[in-house]
Amino acid sequence: MTLVDSPARPSRLLTGMTILAVVMFVAATLMALFYAPTDQQGHVQRIFYMHLGAFMGGALAFLIGAVASALYLARRQKRWDTLALSAIEIGLVLSGFNIVSGAVWARPIWNTWWTWDPRLTSAAVMWLTYAAYMMLRNGIEDPDRRARFGGVYGIVAFTSVIFTTVITRVRPDTIHPVVVGPSPQNAQGSFEINSSAMTVTLVFNIVTYVILALTLIWHRVRLEELAERVQQIKVRMFSR
Amino acid sequence: MTMTETAQSTSQQTAAPRALKTPFWRAMIALAAKDLRIEVRGRELINAMLLFAALSVLIFSFALELDRTARETSIAGVLWVTVVFAGMLGLGRSLAAEKDRGNLDALLLAPVDRAALFFGKMLSNLLFMLVVALLLVVLSTVLFNVSLFKPWLGLVIVLGTVGFATVGTLLSSMAVHTRARETMLPILLLPVSLPIILSAVRASTAILTGAPQEDWIAWPQLLFAADLILLALAYVLFDFVVEE
């Protein structure tokens, strides 16, 4: 069974999810910009909703990538490898947005685009780890070996996601604030979620980015399977 | 796993009288001893690593202008960067030599637990890295007049090199099968070993500047946890890397 039901058109569920993701994305952005109250930091704090949302979406995509990698190694079915590749690509996009939006927010609040803080460093290295995953796949010609090594590296790379998530809670010397739970004592530019409008906007943004990540991964899987189909048809045409 | 299971089942069917597999520890020690013997006789790898390490310390001392105050805060970084890069030289050669001279196939055919192969290679890589680290400790103590002979620093060096050798051996056994393998190894290895390098450098700097223990004890703890996770991952995943 493949995830592509009809090669020409996406399934009804995928179409529905795409529409839902687009509508929710627009609504979430509008909520962050207009519905959420202005924080004492000013309007720039509104980046927070997208910043955390994109991180959550990216981390979920990397988690799916790691689970799919493990499933590929256990079952040796091509579709798990396709899913791992797709999830990691989408994770790269979302965590890239997370890092860039963080830099834009840091400029007015920390007075610098970037600082060599454990949290920022580990987030950047997480991104580079998955960029190395793509390099590894490009460097191997044999498709079976590419999938197998991709599976191994997809699991090893996930340690960097765990590290990024854990580091602000282990190390007190980071200046990156933590919103849920106690913030580190040196945190700069932290703020409190003190109104229900903020909580609603935050939860809605996280849910939106999760759905967005899932939809994009599904589209990416479909693209990969269609590309393979084209390849098969080409082989059939030329072998005549 | 499946390989060993089928090997066991066929041994039961043919009722072979003797054990087919070399015990884990004996295989692991034998493999590490073989690498050491090659180095004792040829000194191909270790000489390159040691020379590289000495050169790297010299380059750093010019590049960073390590005066008396700068030394204390940056010597740990110099130490770890040098160990990591010298270690990478060793890792790249150690598995490439096995593959190019055809020994890797022979090792995989041998009735030995795959994990024993991994830990044997990892042990020899670890020993080479520790020799480099020891040279660096002596060299920087002499050249920079900063004493690096501290028991806690020794522990951090052992923990850091164990983690780096573990993930390094796993990834270099993948990198030898890729195109442009010399460039692939650092790209694969450096980001994954960041938790190790970061905690090792932070811990070493704090130890050398004489910070109170409660300020930095979390870093060796993090290092230890990272070592355990990477050892477990490498133990499970090495089977998938070398199968075929």
Side-chain angles (χ1 to χ4, degrees):
Chain A
M1 183 202 106
T2 55
L3 292 163
V4 180
D5 307 319
S6 151
R9 255 191 297 165
S11 69
R12 205 169 287 167
L13 183 60
L14 180 58
T15 316
M17 266 179 80
T18 312
I19 294 167
L20 181 70
V22 169
V23 169
M24 277 183 84
F25 184 73
V26 172
T29 310
L30 289 176
M31 270 174 91
L33 291 179
F34 299 108
Y35 174 66
T38 311
D39 187 73
Q40 55 184 2
Q41 284 185 15
H43 288 304
V44 71
Q45 186 266 341
R46 296 175 191 279
I47 290 177
F48 163 71
Y49 303 106
M50 303 155 200
H51 179 67
L52 188 63
F55 177 78
M56 289 297 183
L60 177 75
F62 289 144
L63 177 66
I64 293 173
V67 172
S69 296
L71 280 171
Y72 175 77
L73 291 181
R75 306 248 171 93
R76 300 303 163 95
Q77 290 154 339
K78 177 109 188 32
R79 59 187 164 130
W80 294 119
D81 180 54
T82 311
L83 178 60
L85 169 69
S86 312
I88 285 170
E89 261 189 39
I90 301 306
L92 269 173
V93 173
L94 286 174
S95 63
F97 179 67
N98 166 254
I99 292 171
V100 172
S101 64
V104 171
W105 187 11
R107 178 67 192 155
I109 298 301
W110 291 343
N111 200 25
T112 172
W113 295 105
W114 186 263
T115 168
W116 292 104
D117 180 83
R119 182 56 166 280
L120 275 68
T121 313
S122 61
V125 169
M126 175 176 94
W127 195 90
L128 288 172
T129 312
Y130 284 100
Y133 172 90
M134 306 309 289
M135 285 283 294
L136 173 68
R137 293 190 70 106
N138 286 337
I140 307 170
E141 267 140 49
D142 175 23
D144 282 341
R145 178 178 282 163
R146 187 193 306 140
R148 200 150 43 81
F149 284 10
V152 170
Y153 202 71
I155 295 171
V156 173
F158 193 68
T159 53
S160 67
V161 180
I162 299 173
F163 189 66
T164 309
T165 320
V166 162
I167 187 102
T168 22
R169 303 183 193 246
V170 176
R171 292 300 307 166
D173 64 352
T174 173
I175 64 170
H176 190 287
V178 173
V179 176
V180 183
S183 218
Q185 55 188 0
N186 298 340
Q188 301 282 316
S190 47
F191 55 89
E192 274 178 43
I193 297 188
N194 48 16
S195 69
S196 59
M198 283 175 100
T199 318
V200 169
T201 313
L202 177 60
V203 171
F204 191 78
N205 264 274
I206 291 175
V207 173
T208 301
Y209 276 89
V210 164
I211 290 176
L212 185 69
L214 295 176
T215 314
L216 287 173
I217 291 170
W218 195 346
H219 275 292
R220 184 65 188 81
V221 168
R222 196 168 162 270
L223 180 66
E224 190 74 18
E225 288 180 351
L226 285 176
E228 211 156 287
R229 215 183 144 81
V230 169
Q231 201 62 38
Q232 284 169 1
I233 292 170
K234 258 188 195 165
V235 170
R236 223 184 302 153
M237 294 290 284
F238 286 120
S239 61
R240 262 187 199 164
Chain B
M1 283 301 276
T2 48
M3 285 286 289
T4 56
E5 275 162 18
T6 48
Q8 275 164 359
S9 62
T10 48
S11 79
Q12 277 163 3
Q13 280 160 11
T14 53
R18 60 197 172 80
L20 276 172
K21 267 169 75 173
T22 316
F24 184 92
W25 291 105
R26 199 140 48 97
M28 175 182 135
I29 302 287
L31 189 58
K34 177 213 67 146
D35 280 358
L36 287 187
R37 205 173 302 132
I38 292 173
E39 280 311 308
V40 168
R41 289 184 186 158
R43 285 191 275 300
E44 194 181 334
L45 208 61
I46 197 79
N47 274 359
M49 285 168 79
L50 290 177
L51 260 177
F52 173 83
L55 283 168
S56 157
V57 169
L58 284 179
I59 300 277
F60 269 118
S61 77
F62 291 126
L64 300 177
E65 299 190 18
L66 292 173
D67 58 7
R68 201 176 50 78
T69 46
R71 274 173 211 163
E72 280 199 335
T73 48
S74 49
I75 194 80
V78 171
L79 179 81
W80 279 105
V81 169
T82 309
V83 168
V84 161
F85 281 102
M88 226 140 46
L89 274 186
L91 286 168
R93 287 301 312 152
S94 120
L95 269 126
E98 300 281 12
K99 184 167 184 280
D100 295 345
R101 296 168 196 172
N103 193 29
L104 193 59
D105 296 332
L107 284 176
L108 293 177
L109 282 173
V112 171
D113 204 338
R114 292 282 163 85
L117 296 184
F118 173 78
F119 284 107
K121 285 312 276 188
M122 178 247 170
L123 195 63
S124 63
N125 287 328
L126 173 67
L127 285 174
F128 297 150
M129 280 180 211
L130 283 175
V131 170
V132 171
L134 186 67
L135 170 91
L136 284 172
V137 166
V138 175
L139 208 61
S140 16
T141 308
V142 173
L143 291 181
F144 298 120
N145 200 21
V146 180
S147 176
L148 296 185
F149 288 95
K150 295 187 174 164
W152 271 105
L153 187 67
L155 180 71
V156 170
I157 287 177
V158 171
L159 285 177
T161 44
V162 165
F164 188 68
T166 306
V167 66
T169 309
L170 178 72
L171 295 182
S172 71
S173 57
M174 292 194 335
V176 290
H177 291 291
T178 58
R179 261 185 276 138
R181 59 194 184 194
E182 283 84 7
T183 40
M184 194 57 84
L185 180 63
I187 290 172
L188 292 180
L189 181 53
L190 287 177
V192 176
S193 49
L194 172 95
I196 301 162
I197 300 172
L198 181 74
S199 354
V201 171
R202 293 279 174 123
S204 312
T205 307
I207 291 166
L208 290 176
T209 49
Q213 193 174 341
E214 64 265 24
D215 281 5
W216 50 262
I217 194 71
W219 287 118
Q221 285 166 351
L222 193 62
L223 196 54
F224 186 67
D227 278 6
L228 286 185
I229 293 172
L230 291 174
L231 275 170
L233 275 181
Y235 177 75
V236 175
L237 293 177
F238 187 69
D239 268 16
F240 296 110
V241 174
V242 293
E243 77 177 34
E244 68 205 21

